[in-house]
Amino acid sequence: MIKISFPVALALLLPLGLMAQTNPAAEAAKDYTIAVAWQQHSGEYRALSFQAYNFAKLSLQERLKGVDTAKPSCVVVDIDETVLDNSPFQGHEIQKGLSYAAKDWSEWTAKVAADTVPGALGFLKYAQTQKVETFYITNRDQVDYKATLTNLQRLGFPYADEAHLMVKQGTSDKEARRQQVLGKYNILLLCGDNLSDFSNVFYREGKNTKEEVDRAQQEFGNHFIVLPNPMYGDWEKLLYKGGHLSETERSKQRIEGLKSY
């Protein structure tokens, strides 16, 4: 007769869903569920994305009126949650009980299955008609380069070529890449879902993010075009205290950091 310990016997009797509830990391990952569901299913997400790119078109028209013709003009865009929607990857991770796994991200990018963010393709095609080029500055890694380029080309994005796609090269700081483009082009607009897509002043210089946003308020909708992304971003780092936190610890700090009464 084989003896089975009580914990093992209990685990065998529990439904799989109930067993998942006993996994703290899986429970913590569920914190992101409503954010992903909102991006995938809400009309408001689509409306805000269209609104952002409608403003981008109007702003581009205005900025072209006084442009320096000594250099060609361009717009700079981030990729993830700015022109490509990766919410299926986020949903996949939550269903696995994870917040993020690098292996899964590589698997996702290799599928070249990301769809467009609403309004992005139409805006960049319009910019092309105005002889305005597009540079894609992303923090995807070099290993994802080919798949990223294929994904953009499959969807018909203009200037999706090796000359205009700039992935991460050792650092996630985009400033050097922005300056590289600025050396040869007029950057008329920058589009992104993260304030670091526009300037280092918001997160990388140790300044108060909200104060810096207030100082730059006239830039938003004019020079900086912000896309909605409740799923992840540099903003979340401001919630946490301490390094190398587990997802469970981050989840606890997210709750503790909420404003209440």
Side-chain angles (χ1 to χ4, degrees):
M1 180 178 178
I2 299 174
K3 293 184 178 180
I4 302 176
S5 67
F6 177 74
V8 173
L10 182 61
L12 291 172
L13 292 172
L14 286 174
L16 288 176
L18 190 56
M19 287 177 65
Q21 293 176 18
T22 64
N23 182 337
E27 285 301 298
K30 289 181 182 178
D31 287 2
Y32 300 98
T33 301
I34 194 65
V36 177
W38 182 83
Q39 180 155 322
Q40 292 182 346
H41 299 290
S42 76
E44 287 81 358
Y45 166 72
R46 294 187 66 81
L48 285 169
S49 297
F50 283 130
Q51 178 175 270
Y53 281 115
N54 286 341
F55 266 106
K57 182 177 180 180
L58 292 172
S59 296
L60 183 61
Q61 291 169 346
E62 286 299 310
R63 296 181 74 83
L64 278 169
K65 292 178 181 178
V67 70
D68 176 9
T69 57
K71 293 196 294 186
S73 295
C74 73
V75 295
V76 170
V77 299
D78 172 53
I79 290 183
D80 299 313
E81 314 333 315
T82 299
V83 299
L84 295 183
D85 173 11
N86 298 287
S87 63
F89 163 73
Q90 302 297 147
H92 177 268
E93 295 300 86
I94 293 170
Q95 290 176 348
K96 284 183 64 176
L98 302 171
S99 59
Y100 174 83
K103 177 179 177 295
D104 291 347
W105 174 250
S106 295
E107 180 182 278
W108 163 248
T109 57
K111 290 179 179 293
V112 298
D115 203 352
T116 59
V117 168
L121 183 58
F123 167 67
L124 294 179
K125 284 186 172 181
Y126 169 76
Q128 185 180 31
T129 68
Q130 303 304 301
K131 297 181 171 55
V132 175
E133 299 180 33
T134 298
F135 281 88
Y136 303 88
I137 298 183
T138 175
N139 277 336
R140 290 189 176 199
D141 291 318
Q142 184 66 41
V143 69
D144 300 315
Y145 192 100
K146 183 178 179 180
T148 301
L149 199 56
T150 301
N151 205 155
L152 292 170
Q153 292 171 342
R154 181 179 66 82
L155 294 168
F157 277 96
Y159 299 101
D161 54 41
E162 293 185 1
H164 292 83
L165 175 59
M166 305 174 77
V167 296
K168 182 170 64 176
Q169 298 285 355
T171 175
S172 61
D173 188 344
K174 294 183 174 181
E175 187 59 29
R177 283 171 281 169
R178 285 193 290 261
Q179 290 300 319
Q180 184 179 337
V181 174
L182 192 58
K184 296 181 180 180
Y185 288 81
N186 302 307
I187 298 179
L188 301 184
L189 292 176
L190 297 100
C191 305
D193 65 299
N194 190 320
L195 292 174
S196 294
D197 295 328
F198 310 117
S199 171
N200 280 7
V201 71
F202 298 110
Y203 287 115
R204 292 183 176 274
E205 296 181 0
K207 298 179 181 179
N208 184 294
T209 298
K210 290 184 177 180
E211 289 179 0
E212 294 305 321
V213 168
D214 289 350
R215 287 192 182 94
Q217 60 183 286
Q218 296 303 317
E219 298 290 326
F220 297 106
N222 293 311
H223 189 202
F224 302 156
I225 305 298
V226 186
L227 279 298
N229 174 13
M231 300 186 299
Y232 63 88
D234 283 344
W235 63 269
E236 193 177 342
K237 298 174 184 176
L238 301 180
L239 301 175
Y240 307 131
K241 297 177 181 177
H244 306 293
L245 299 173
S246 68
E247 191 58 46
T248 303
E249 291 168 327
R250 288 196 292 268
S251 177
K252 181 174 182 292
Q253 290 192 23
R254 285 193 288 269
I255 296 294
E256 293 171 346
L258 292 174
K259 293 181 180 180
S260 185
Y261 66 92

